[in-house]
Amino acid sequence: MQKIISSASNEDLKQLARLVQNVRERRKSRQMVLEGIHLLETALDVELVPTMVFVNEDAAQRSDVQALLARLSPDSECIQVARGVFAKVTALASAPEVLAVCPRPEARQPQEDASRLLLEDIQDPGNLGTILRSAAAADVREVYLSKGCVDVFSPKVLRSGMGAHFALTIHEGADLAAELAAFTGRKLVTHLAGSTSLYGEDLSGPIALVLGNEGAGVSDTLVGLSDVRVRIPMPGHAESLNVAMAATICLFERVRQLQC
């Protein structure tokens, strides 16, 4: 590391702060910011090349940080940031060891018969990250996001996803109606009205699972395009489940059926 930043007014650091804080800046530049060792390790495992890596002065000499930096491509600029200055960039309570600026992965062409997850207007970053983590764990790798979803590559969603982003093919700003209409497998939408129990449905073949906004649920258009409306039985007193919890239950019911 040849360069050391000791002032918050440094242009590289100000650009980093803009990427952390501003969704328009991230989308315009097609970049994202990875906070911490785990996310950077996961990105390097799939051969993603960071453009810049900012290293917290307090962690620069740690063996795990040194081992991580040794994996970087010569094309990645590595910059050490003085203590106190680093904390001003991140929104985390304690500054991470590293912050890495990386290109957003480009979505690959999906297999026609691959099961997929369609998410309509999910607004909470924690919910979206958790859903992605569950999808990756359940091996449903094609994820389609409507234009109304929170930025899937925001720092909060990336932290919540815990590296799941790099195991998935994420299609941002998708026309969910067109995707659902074109899908040839079973189309299931989570919906309370006129629905059947999730546990009575066959999920063993290719499926498209649709989940909607935390408050409004799935739109009438997508409900109309589905083959079946499913609900998760709730014998207790709750009116509904958190969307991330509902997604996880649905995804792992599919896993259970595939393993039976």
Side-chain angles (χ1 to χ4, degrees):
M1 289 180 287
Q2 301 297 320
K3 193 172 181 179
I4 299 177
I5 295 177
S6 58
S7 170
S9 62
N10 175 273
E11 284 302 320
D12 288 331
L13 211 59
K14 288 198 290 186
Q15 175 59 18
L16 175 63
R18 285 191 288 269
L19 288 172
V20 170
Q21 299 163 9
N22 193 311
V23 59
R24 289 185 180 180
E25 189 68 28
R26 290 193 298 270
R27 285 175 171 164
K28 177 184 174 182
S29 65
R30 299 297 301 163
Q31 292 180 313
M32 60 184 175
V33 178
L34 308 180
E35 298 176 305
I37 288 177
H38 174 72
L39 281 179
L40 181 53
E41 283 180 334
T42 309
L44 294 176
D45 287 344
V46 296
E47 300 182 349
L48 199 62
V49 179
T51 55
M52 301 185 79
V53 176
F54 297 83
V55 183
N56 189 337
E57 179 185 25
D58 290 336
Q61 300 308 315
R62 280 174 33 180
S63 58
D64 55 345
V65 173
Q66 287 292 315
L68 182 63
L69 299 181
R71 296 181 59 191
L72 294 176
S73 162
D75 295 328
S76 301
E77 184 178 0
C78 195
I79 300 172
Q80 185 169 312
V81 181
R83 61 176 57 90
V85 177
F86 203 82
K88 295 180 180 180
V89 179
T90 179
L92 297 176
S94 58
E97 303 88 351
V98 294
L99 291 173
V101 178
C102 296
R104 295 159 80 109
E106 296 296 331
R108 300 180 298 273
Q109 187 68 24
Q111 295 179 358
E112 290 185 8
D113 60 348
S115 289
R116 57 203 60 194
L117 185 62
L118 281 68
L119 303 176
E120 184 178 39
D121 298 355
I122 304 297
Q123 292 297 295
D124 183 82
N127 282 341
L128 183 52
T130 300
I131 292 170
L132 297 181
R133 192 174 178 185
S134 294
D139 201 31
V140 174
R141 301 193 180 194
E142 301 291 338
V143 180
Y144 292 80
L145 307 176
S146 71
K147 292 180 180 178
C149 283
V150 66
D151 179 22
V152 68
F153 291 106
S154 74
K156 288 183 179 180
V157 179
L158 284 159
R159 289 199 305 270
S160 182
M162 292 288 291
H165 289 69
F166 308 121
L168 303 169
T169 299
I170 298 173
H171 306 267
E172 299 181 79
D175 182 340
L176 299 189
E179 295 295 339
L180 197 59
F183 186 65
T184 57
R186 294 198 75 204
K187 308 165 189 178
L188 299 96
V189 59
T190 54
H191 202 270
L192 293 178
S195 57
T196 62
S197 170
L198 170 72
Y199 304 123
E201 296 299 326
D202 181 6
L203 309 180
S204 60
I207 66 166
L209 175 64
V210 187
L211 294 107
N213 175 266
E214 289 88 344
V218 180
S219 66
D220 291 343
T221 298
L222 297 185
V223 171
L225 289 168
S226 66
D227 296 324
V228 60
R229 307 176 189 184
V230 296
R231 68 178 183 276
I232 298 167
M234 295 182 292
H237 298 290
E239 291 184 2
S240 62
L241 291 175
N242 169 278
V243 66
M245 184 177 293
T248 300
I249 292 171
C250 292
L251 290 165
F252 278 89
E253 171 59 15
R254 175 179 175 272
V255 171
R256 186 194 69 79
Q257 291 187 22
L258 288 172
Q259 293 185 346
C260 286

